[in-house]
Amino acid sequence: MWLIMMNSYLMLKGYGGKNNKQKWQQFPKKFEEINDDNTKGTSWIEQTLISRINTFNPKLNIKKIKYYDKNINKKFPDFETGISCGAIVERKQISKTEIDFYKSRDYYTNTNNLIAEKIIEYVYILPTNQKARNSFVSQTVFPSLIDYMGKYLASPSYTIANHKFMLINLDKDNINANSILNSLIAFIYSGMDYVSLFPFNDISVKNLNMKCFINQIYPKQIKKEKKDEVYVNDFYYINLSKKTLKIKSGKLNKAINMSKGVETFKGSEEKFYWAQILPILIIASFDNYKVDFTEYRDFCKIHKNKFGSSNKMNRCLILLKFIEKIVIEGK
């Protein structure tokens, strides 16, 4: 019998930026931002969060929260260490004779205390308040989500990475802003798990297909075009009747800024764009839509050598390769 003891833990960032100077970024200190008479302290928040995740998926069997330091990549080399990045880690007590077995299955093994560990789900911790509504989700998941994507492009899987992703919402206020709700719903429809610390911010979705998604967040904006049902915004055009999706690049073109002969994006405009098109592309791939992404491919072709060595353009190219990998191309 291979399994002697098995459980998992939630791993959150426990240090704040370079040389630990930005302490406000670290957990558990960051829990203080939502601490009041209702939350009853950090320990209550930790235990409630564990309970909420285990209720969502009992198989995860999370026992505790651990806080990683800047040396985490020595244990998990592919883990992204952004401000909001975390993970759920499987932890097994093993015997000496099992060490090679678990190493061969990509577990990190500690030969001193005979522990085998492996990431089983990536986690994003959403902001503790809604001050920046437009960036509530986009600034949380990007750019690290694209970086994960780049690491696993060669994988035979049609998913972003080698594991699922979970969004964890710590906001103690009701989320009523459509811009936040729609973005969360979009990522849930695209396959991300979602857990809220507080039940009043739970989100339920219907069948994970394009028509249900559009009907849930844009029901009054579906129009008739001849005999077809269509939905159109600044980022894409969807024909629900013919099951086609067209990705637009106008917003991305307008986001370009020129400085000393080199192009870049204004602020974080590319993140807002990615947050709009990535979920809809994944939903389209689930639902066997034909996708026309000519405008986006042309944008990358025209601008890829004008951004210098910018990581932002490199990420645009990674996204292009991912689109080419997962969708059925057509018009």
Side-chain angles (χ1 to χ4, degrees):
M1 183 176 180
W2 289 110
L3 182 61
I4 298 174
M5 182 181 74
M6 176 180 174
N7 55 49
S8 68
Y9 61 87
L10 174 63
M11 181 175 75
L12 301 179
K13 187 169 185 174
Y15 70 101
K18 292 181 180 180
N19 300 319
N20 209 32
K21 290 181 179 179
Q22 295 170 298
K23 292 183 179 180
W24 59 271
Q25 293 178 357
Q26 70 186 22
F27 288 94
K29 186 174 180 61
K30 198 167 177 62
F31 285 135
E32 293 176 9
E33 295 178 9
I34 55 171
N35 195 14
D36 59 19
D37 292 339
N38 293 321
T39 56
K40 304 171 187 176
T42 296
S43 179
W44 181 91
I45 294 171
E46 290 176 323
Q47 293 306 311
T48 303
L49 182 55
I50 290 170
S51 175
R52 293 283 288 163
I53 297 173
N54 285 336
T55 299
F56 173 79
N57 185 355
K59 292 181 180 179
L60 293 174
N61 194 28
I62 294 173
K63 298 295 186 181
K64 62 168 62 176
I65 299 177
K66 293 186 177 183
Y67 303 97
Y68 66 85
D69 62 25
K70 59 185 177 181
N71 297 314
I72 189 63
N73 288 126
K74 292 180 180 179
K75 182 185 288 189
F76 304 119
D78 291 333
F79 175 67
E80 292 292 329
T81 58
I83 295 172
S84 57
C85 294
I88 296 172
V89 180
E90 180 184 27
R91 185 179 188 273
K92 296 183 178 185
Q93 187 76 52
I94 61 175
S95 66
K96 287 183 179 180
T97 59
E98 295 174 314
I99 291 173
D100 290 339
F101 172 84
Y102 283 104
K103 279 185 176 180
S104 69
R105 284 154 179 77
D106 298 324
Y107 281 79
Y108 166 82
T109 56
N110 186 316
T111 55
N112 292 323
N113 56 13
L114 297 176
I115 295 294
E117 294 183 325
K118 186 177 185 178
I119 291 175
I120 56 176
E121 186 157 3
Y122 298 115
V123 166
Y124 285 113
I125 304 294
L126 293 159
T128 54
N129 60 70
Q130 303 169 49
K131 291 179 181 177
R133 291 184 177 184
N134 291 334
S135 62
F136 188 84
V137 180
S138 62
Q139 294 276 44
T140 299
V141 303
F142 297 116
S144 64
L145 190 62
I146 301 290
D147 294 337
Y148 276 125
M149 186 185 292
K151 292 175 182 177
Y152 297 99
L153 276 174
S155 164
S157 170
Y158 288 88
T159 56
I160 291 174
N162 58 336
H163 303 299
K164 289 193 71 175
F165 292 86
M166 177 182 289
L167 296 168
I168 294 179
N169 184 4
L170 300 179
D171 198 334
K172 63 183 179 181
D173 296 320
N174 279 292
I175 294 180
N176 297 313
N178 285 336
S179 59
I180 295 177
L181 285 172
N182 290 350
S183 191
L184 288 172
I185 291 169
F187 276 102
I188 295 170
Y189 266 93
S190 71
M192 283 194 180
D193 292 334
Y194 171 82
V195 173
S196 175
L197 178 64
F198 300 100
F200 52 74
N201 276 326
D202 286 349
I203 296 173
S204 61
V205 298
K206 301 176 183 178
N207 295 327
L208 299 184
N209 60 54
M210 185 72 79
K211 196 159 190 176
C212 285
F213 168 65
I214 296 300
N215 274 311
Q216 183 162 351
I217 66 175
Y218 304 121
K220 296 181 180 179
Q221 298 177 43
I222 296 174
K223 299 178 181 178
K224 281 286 186 179
E225 193 174 272
K226 296 181 180 179
K227 294 183 179 181
D228 295 343
E229 284 187 318
V230 301
Y231 171 75
V232 185
N233 64 22
D234 291 336
F235 300 92
Y236 47 80
Y237 168 97
I238 302 173
N239 188 310
L240 295 165
S241 303
K242 294 179 178 176
K243 297 189 73 169
T244 60
L245 166 68
K246 180 178 180 179
I247 299 297
K248 301 179 182 181
S249 65
K251 282 285 189 179
L252 206 54
N253 279 298
K254 291 178 181 178
I256 290 178
N257 193 27
M258 180 73 75
S259 177
K260 297 180 180 179
V262 177
E263 291 183 347
T264 185
F265 288 117
K266 300 172 185 175
S268 296
E269 289 295 318
E270 81 285 355
K271 295 177 185 176
F272 305 144
Y273 179 81
W274 294 336
Q276 288 290 330
I277 71 163
L278 179 57
I280 205 73
L281 283 160
I282 294 175
I283 297 167
S285 73
F286 289 163
D287 209 12
N288 296 316
Y289 270 59
K290 288 186 177 180
V291 181
D292 179 2
F293 55 96
T294 306
E295 285 191 23
Y296 182 74
R297 181 158 49 198
D298 288 346
F299 170 88
C300 291
K301 183 178 180 179
I302 292 168
H303 296 280
K304 68 178 181 179
N305 294 321
K306 298 179 181 180
F307 270 69
S309 59
S310 169
N311 284 333
K312 293 188 175 187
M313 176 48 68
N314 289 338
R315 290 176 179 128
C316 284
L317 295 171
I318 288 171
L319 178 56
L320 175 61
K321 291 178 182 177
F322 182 72
I323 297 170
E324 292 171 339
K325 177 180 177 180
I326 69 165
V327 306
I328 303 169
E329 188 169 358
K331 297 184 179 180

